[in-house]
Amino acid sequence: MKWFVGIGVLGGLALITAGVASMRTGWTLPWSRRVTRPSVYGLGTLLVGVACVVQGALYFRILPSPPWEVRFFGLDVLVFSGLILIGVSQMQRRR
């Protein structure tokens, strides 16, 4: 189980890196070229990446573990808000 969580943490770190690069420079990953708002896309990937890293930190007991309800709903809010922002970043702008 530890390797599975570790892979999730590495994926989260990659998402955080891509999100910061997208917010700072406007660069997006090659498979997400439909993005019209790179800073919104970067914020969304940053939120999803932070949720993955925090989940791993809680599993490995790096952070003190809150009650399961707080952990479940808090990380769900991060993931879903990140996914919504990624979706919004791919919408066409009104002219």
Side-chain angles (χ1 to χ4, degrees):
M1 185 68 177
K2 292 182 190 240
W3 63 271
F4 187 74
V5 176
I7 296 293
V9 170
L10 288 176
L13 290 174
L15 284 173
I16 289 172
T17 304
V20 169
S22 180
M23 285 192 305
R24 297 220 17 154
T25 65
W27 177 82
T28 59
L29 295 168
W31 54 82
S32 61
R33 295 293 179 197
R34 289 183 30 197
V35 172
T36 57
R37 297 176 188 97
S39 61
V40 176
Y41 176 79
L43 183 60
T45 56
L46 187 68
L47 288 175
V48 174
V50 166
C52 292
V53 170
V54 167
Q55 182 68 22
L58 291 173
Y59 177 79
F60 290 122
R61 303 210 188 275
I62 296 170
L63 297 174
S65 184
W68 73 270
E69 296 93 354
V70 174
R71 191 168 64 191
F72 178 76
F73 290 117
L75 292 175
D76 280 351
V77 165
L78 282 177
V79 170
F80 289 136
S81 60
L83 291 176
I84 288 170
L85 286 174
I86 290 171
V88 166
S89 72
Q90 295 179 1
M91 290 181 175
Q92 297 295 323
R93 293 183 184 204
R94 290 189 178 178
R95 296 173 199 226

